[in-house]
Amino acid sequence: MLCGAALSPATAAEAVPPDPVVIEADVDAAVERYRPPGLAVGIIVDGEVVFTATRGELAAGGGQPVDRDTLFQIASNSKAMTAAVLARLVDQGKLAWTDPVVRHLPDFRMYDDWVTREMQVRDLLIHNSGLGAGAGDLMLWPGPNRFSRQDVIHGLRHLKPVYSFRSRYAYDNTLYIVAGEVAAAAGGAPFDRLLRRELFEPLGLRRCQAGRWLRDEVGNIAQPHAGGADGHRVARADPEIVEDPPMLAAGGIRCSLDDMLRWAAMWLQPERHGLDAGGRPFLSATQREEAWKTHMPMPLTTRMREWDNSHFSAYGYGWRLTDVDGTWKVSHTGTLSGMYSSLTLLPEKGVGIVILANGEMDELRTVLGQVLVKRFTRPADATLTVAHYAGLLAATAPAAANAATAADAGPRKPALASDAQVPTGRYRDPWFGEVALCPNGEGIEFRALKSPRLAGALHYSGERLLVDWHDPGVDAEAWVHFDQRDDGTRMTLAKVDPAADFSYDYEDLAFERTGDCDAP
């Protein structure tokens, strides 16, 4: 079945590679329209690299060009790699997909005790936990921060579900952190070492990085940029020592274009590219099939129906599954502040497409990815260009602009330290930890102790209060509301723009005042 089992590469229909001149023109059209700081694009057909293109710089204005070895943050494309490591451990008999999570992590807890007992390893990968989209992401995002994986796992017990367990799809990152720690417990090594041992080394992903590493020793690293297509882009440089991020299993791996093409080839041509140095299969046929099964139905969007004539949408183990123009599509995207990636596989055609960018490039990724897929699924239709799909997105822009205007906080003025209406002090949320809401000069500053980039000035917009973050890369302002009760003061937050990225999960926070600003 299309959505049930992996297609054997031996039965895949041969795809005719498009004219490289046409693909080059597609890439150039996307670069001209969206002007990414840096971009790397690659295509494989039947296990062979048929096209690559690199554009731009590691950091805008820095003069160092992007090439096929440049490291990009692949963000949520890390999830399929985490699932593959777990699949390797299943093949080795070290765990089973149906194992209770507490068998491997006895201290694991969800908000509901029954869910804690019933949560299986497979549930960690398919977004069916009952948590809301992005629940707990403020322990991961924006990075870097001071949360540990143990903090993330401990925080889960305080996150209230919004749906019944296994009842529906809602994307999360935090349970992938748990999945990485399950792998570490079953595999007998920290997760970053498991990635190198079970994934990077067997497949020859020589540039991929995980864990703690030295920036200058590795070199050739694309830096994330804040700012839109028409704005001034500012690169955020990596520190000399890149620490092991708590979000590693969910979105913390970095790889090059050549690494990602090799990873894609392993899935599409396992008999040629899915063998380790000893000639053994990287994954059994059984585990390949499990990865691409329909484990959790997903919403089928209007765009998918109209652009691709799609009939189903589902999540596998770290992969999104659907159909496009009558052929199977296995894919995922990755999004971090200033870093975008996509990996698209058309297994029935033996095609893999990789896009990596180091800027806020959501539209570029959507438009260019769509065009490149159509070069294989509708090759005779010359109208399906970058301009065509950019136009379709632009047609929805007025509605988006109206929504953004409605969500705009409007005129504002700083809240003053002398304002007796603002209950300054120290506050604590059970999973996010402590924040200080304290005078800073004449104003009032919000500062999260474990998330240094979440620091900003308190402002009034009309009669409401909001936090205007200092860091331009933190692009979702937060309303602040106080509830004065007999037993103390409570502070809650909410997104000023309800359509902002769900990883800004302010709505899951419930702060209780714990003391004054000058308390030790």
Side-chain angles (χ1 to χ4, degrees), residues 190-505:
F191 187 63
D192 62 302
R193 283 172 49 193
L194 274 186
L195 279 167
R196 291 190 287 273
R197 185 185 84 193
E198 299 292 339
L199 188 73
F200 301 165
E201 292 171 6
L203 294 180
L205 308 183
R206 63 182 184 83
R207 288 281 293 161
C208 287
Q209 296 294 322
R212 189 175 190 266
W213 45 279
L214 301 179
R215 177 195 64 199
D216 297 340
E217 183 178 289
V218 171
N220 195 2
I221 305 164
Q223 302 301 307
H225 292 70
D230 298 320
H232 178 63
R233 291 191 177 88
V234 179
R236 188 174 70 250
D238 283 305
E240 182 179 350
I241 299 175
V242 179
E243 298 291 350
D244 184 9
M247 66 181 299
L248 178 60
I253 298 172
R254 303 199 199 195
C255 291
S256 70
L257 176 62
D258 275 356
D259 290 326
M260 295 302 289
L261 291 170
R262 196 169 290 112
W263 168 241
M266 184 279 293
W267 286 101
L268 295 169
Q269 291 250 327
E271 75 284 357
R272 290 175 54 197
H273 301 285
L275 305 176
D276 63 20
R280 296 175 295 270
F282 175 75
L283 287 178
S284 67
T286 298
Q287 294 313 317
R288 288 176 177 278
E289 183 175 337
E290 284 296 316
W292 288 357
K293 277 183 177 177
T294 294
H295 290 288
M296 190 66 197
M298 291 175 60
L300 183 65
T301 67
T302 299
R303 180 188 294 179
M304 293 169 71
R305 291 193 296 268
E306 293 180 350
W307 289 18
D308 293 335
N309 192 31
S310 299
H311 298 84
F312 82 99
S313 180
Y315 207 86
Y317 288 160
W319 296 98
R320 296 184 180 116
L321 315 171
T322 188
D323 60 319
V324 51
D325 299 325
T327 194
W328 192 16
K329 175 183 168 184
V330 179
S331 66
H332 215 288
T333 56
T335 303
L336 284 172
S337 180
M339 280 282 183
Y340 279 64
S341 71
S342 70
L343 173 57
T344 302
L345 308 178
L346 305 176
E348 294 168 317
K349 295 181 178 294
V351 171
I353 301 167
V354 176
I355 299 173
L356 304 170
N358 64 339
E360 301 288 348
M361 291 289 123
D362 187 23
E363 286 195 19
L364 179 148
R365 178 179 63 189
T366 298
V367 168
L368 183 57
Q370 189 72 15
V371 170
L372 296 182
V373 166
K374 295 300 182 181
R375 296 301 178 210
F376 293 94
T377 64
R378 294 176 60 182
D381 193 338
T383 69
L384 302 179
T385 62
V386 166
H388 170 76
Y389 285 109
L392 293 180
L393 287 183
T396 65
N402 290 338
T405 299
D408 189 358
R412 61 190 65 181
K413 61 180 182 179
L416 300 179
S418 58
D419 187 347
Q421 299 302 310
V422 180
T424 57
R426 299 184 181 276
Y427 289 78
R428 188 178 188 283
D429 173 83
W431 61 268
F432 185 69
E434 294 185 7
V435 304
L437 189 72
C438 293
N440 182 16
E442 294 184 353
I444 300 173
E445 183 177 66
F446 179 106
R447 182 169 54 87
L449 271 62
K450 283 195 171 183
S451 189
R453 293 180 65 195
L454 287 181
L458 212 63
H459 284 73
Y460 276 102
S461 174
E463 296 183 355
R464 300 183 71 181
L465 285 164
L466 62 80
V467 184
D468 184 354
W469 307 114
H470 300 318
D471 189 329
V474 183
D475 54 2
E477 295 176 328
W479 294 117
V480 182
H481 175 74
F482 298 99
D483 183 15
Q484 304 274 11
R485 301 174 304 183
D486 291 341
D487 58 349
T489 301
R490 184 182 184 188
M491 177 174 66
T492 55
L493 275 63
K495 288 184 281 290
V496 171
D497 179 2
D501 193 300
F502 59 65
S503 286
Y504 293 109
D505 57 323

Side-chain angles (χ1 to χ4, degrees), residues 51-288:
F51 177 84
T52 62
T54 57
R55 302 285 190 272
E57 300 173 307
L58 306 184
Q64 294 178 282
V66 170
D67 61 30
R68 289 170 57 164
D69 280 336
T70 297
L71 280 185
F72 287 82
Q73 296 178 27
I74 65 170
S76 286
N77 270 300
S78 303
K79 289 180 169 66
M81 293 186 173
T82 294
V85 169
L86 285 165
R88 293 262 292 177
L89 297 176
V90 173
D91 272 341
Q92 295 164 17
K94 295 179 179 178
L95 61 79
W97 292 118
T98 55
D99 282 351
V101 173
V102 291
R103 179 176 299 173
H104 301 279
L105 300 178
D107 292 334
F108 169 77
R109 296 287 184 275
M110 297 293 285
Y111 187 81
D112 185 278
D113 289 340
W114 182 85
V115 175
T116 298
R117 293 192 303 271
E118 295 298 316
M119 182 80 73
Q120 298 175 355
V121 174
R122 64 183 301 275
D123 293 310
L124 301 174
L125 305 181
I126 58 177
H127 310 296
N128 70 350
S129 68
L131 295 175
D137 275 5
L138 286 176
M139 292 183 283
L140 310 174
W141 163 301
N145 60 39
R146 301 183 182 121
F147 286 95
S148 68
R149 292 187 188 115
Q150 289 69 36
D151 290 332
V152 175
I153 293 173
H154 187 269
L156 285 168
R157 67 196 63 193
H158 300 293
L159 292 170
K160 296 180 181 179
V162 294
Y163 312 111
S164 299
F165 182 41
R166 295 180 181 149
S167 66
R168 60 172 291 172
Y169 170 91
Y171 193 84
D172 77 76
N173 290 297
T174 47
L175 289 176
Y176 265 81
I177 309 305
V178 180
E181 293 307 285
V182 167
F191 187 63
D192 62 302
R193 283 172 49 193
L194 274 186
L195 279 167
R196 291 190 287 273
R197 185 185 84 193
E198 299 292 339
L199 188 73
F200 301 165
E201 292 171 6
L203 294 180
L205 308 183
R206 63 182 184 83
R207 288 281 293 161
C208 287
Q209 296 294 322
R212 189 175 190 266
W213 45 279
L214 301 179
R215 177 195 64 199
D216 297 340
E217 183 178 289
V218 171
N220 195 2
I221 305 164
Q223 302 301 307
H225 292 70
D230 298 320
H232 178 63
R233 291 191 177 88
V234 179
R236 188 174 70 250
D238 283 305
E240 182 179 350
I241 299 175
V242 179
E243 298 291 350
D244 184 9
M247 66 181 299
L248 178 60
I253 298 172
R254 303 199 199 195
C255 291
S256 70
L257 176 62
D258 275 356
D259 290 326
M260 295 302 289
L261 291 170
R262 196 169 290 112
W263 168 241
M266 184 279 293
W267 286 101
L268 295 169
Q269 291 250 327
E271 75 284 357
R272 290 175 54 197
H273 301 285
L275 305 176
D276 63 20
R280 296 175 295 270
F282 175 75
L283 287 178
S284 67
T286 298
Q287 294 313 317
R288 288 176 177 278

